[in-house]
Each structure stands twice: as C-alpha cells, then as structure tokens.
Amino acid sequence: MNQFQAYFKLGIEHILDLNGFDHILFVIALCAIYLLRDWKKILILVTAFTIGHSITLALATLRIFSVDSNLIEFLIPVTIAVTAFFNILKPRPSSGSGIQANYAFALFFGLIHGLGFSNYLRSLLGRENSIWEPLLAFNLGLEAGQLIIVAIFIVISSIAIGIFGTNRKEWALVISSIVLGMSIMMILDAVY
C-alpha cells in the first residue's frame, strides 16, 4: 500500500471508527431532515464539513493554530447537540436554492471537529517528507467515509419513510432527539 492509499484508508477509518462515534453522530444529525431526493444538499453539507475539518486539521498539523484539546473535546459534542437541536426546531429542510444556514453550520462545525484529530495526525505526519499528499489523502478518505455513513443513513430513512410509512417529520424528530440525547451525555462526560 502506498502513502496515499494508507492515509486515504486512515481518513475512512477515522470517520467510521465506532469508538469515536462523534463524527458518525454529527453526520447523522446533518442528514436527519433530508431524503434521498435532497442528495445535492446533503453532498454540499458533507463537503462543507470536510472543508472546515480540512482547514483546521492542516493549520493544526502545521502548528499554525492550536487549541486546548479539553476545550475541543467539549466543543465537538456541543456542535452535535446544536445541529440536532436545530433539526428539532425545524425538522424539514429549507426550500429554495440559496445558501442555507446549515451549510455555514457544517463548515464552522467542521473547523472544530478538525482540531479533534490534529494531534494524532501531526504525530503521524511528522515522519513524512511532505505533508500535503498525506493530508489530501486523509481528507479525501474522510469525505468518502462520510458519504458511506450518509448512504447507509439515507437508505434506512428511505425504508422507514417510503416502505414502512413513517412520517418524515416524526422520523427527523426521533433521530434528532436520539442524537441530541447522546451528545448531551458526551458533553457531560467531557465536563466531568
């Protein structure tokens, strides 16, 4: 396996790691109000998150920017809780083609999430001659991992809503409430 493949795989594993399920919860919260027909909006959301994640991951890895890891471990579940809470307030996506607030949230919250993995990635990249290719590969793997989560979630949503007749609004409210509850538990763990 070459260097690009190794870091691409690491990016996928970072997102799909069940021990660090915060990313999975965040991606689910981002997608909870969408259906398969909203795939363009979902793709923009996931990519906005990846861009934010990539920016702070690069800045932190290059030691240009640093934030206390305890603060980041607190802020990550806060971003999940805020996203889920906004879904509860508005369980349907905005219509129209303009820039939606949730795109800005995804980008901003991606900035916070990117700091969470930077110390580990910095230690790995410290052994490399150049960090740009591994950083690109990692972030592309991250995007691929998120799209895997989105695909699984959207299929489950489509089955629940389309086949079993679950009400779309109720589905979004239940999923968002579960994610909110789990993120509150993570916030309490980070505080105590």
Side-chain angles (χ1 to χ4, degrees):
M1 181 180 305
N2 67 31
Q3 179 188 44
F4 188 91
Q5 291 170 327
Y7 281 97
F8 182 84
K9 182 179 178 218
L10 182 64
I12 291 176
E13 290 171 352
H14 171 60
I15 286 295
L16 300 179
D17 182 7
L18 294 178
N19 292 320
F21 62 94
D22 54 334
H23 279 312
I24 295 171
L25 283 180
F26 185 73
V27 172
I28 289 171
L30 279 178
C31 298
I33 62 173
Y34 294 98
L35 299 174
L36 182 58
R37 69 176 178 235
D38 302 314
W39 67 270
K40 289 179 185 176
K41 292 178 182 179
I42 296 169
L43 187 59
I44 292 169
L45 278 172
V46 170
T47 302
F49 177 75
T50 301
I51 289 168
H53 193 282
S54 302
I55 290 168
T56 52
L57 191 58
L59 292 174
T61 302
L62 293 169
R63 300 181 193 276
I64 294 171
F65 187 75
S66 178
V67 176
D68 178 40
S69 62
N70 291 328
L71 177 61
I72 297 304
E73 293 306 315
F74 170 75
L75 289 176
I76 287 174
V78 168
T79 65
I80 299 165
V82 168
T83 304
F85 181 72
F86 275 105
N87 288 347
I88 292 168
L89 292 179
K90 189 171 186 239
R92 287 188 179 265
S94 299
S95 58
S97 59
I99 300 283
Q100 298 174 16
N102 51 355
Y103 297 160
F105 276 135
L107 178 67
F108 179 71
F109 291 165
L111 293 170
I112 294 169
H113 284 247
L115 293 170
F117 196 67
S118 61
N119 289 335
Y120 176 70
L121 191 61
R122 183 184 311 131
S123 68
L124 288 176
L125 292 174
R127 300 182 218 142
E128 304 295 345
N129 294 331
S130 169
I131 68 159
W132 297 112
E133 182 181 336
L135 199 55
L136 174 64
F138 178 81
N139 285 306
L140 290 174
L142 186 85
E143 182 81 352
Q146 290 177 148
L147 293 175
I148 291 168
I149 295 166
V150 167
I152 292 168
F153 181 75
I154 292 299
V155 165
I156 292 169
S157 293
S158 296
I159 291 169
I161 295 167
I163 296 175
F164 292 115
T166 305
N167 178 283
R168 177 182 179 174
K169 181 179 177 180
E170 290 173 2
W171 173 257
L173 289 172
V174 168
I175 295 299
S176 297
S177 297
I178 291 169
V179 171
L180 178 61
M182 292 175 76
S183 61
I184 289 171
M185 296 304 296
M186 293 168 62
I187 291 168
L188 293 174
D189 283 346
V191 171
Y192 300 106

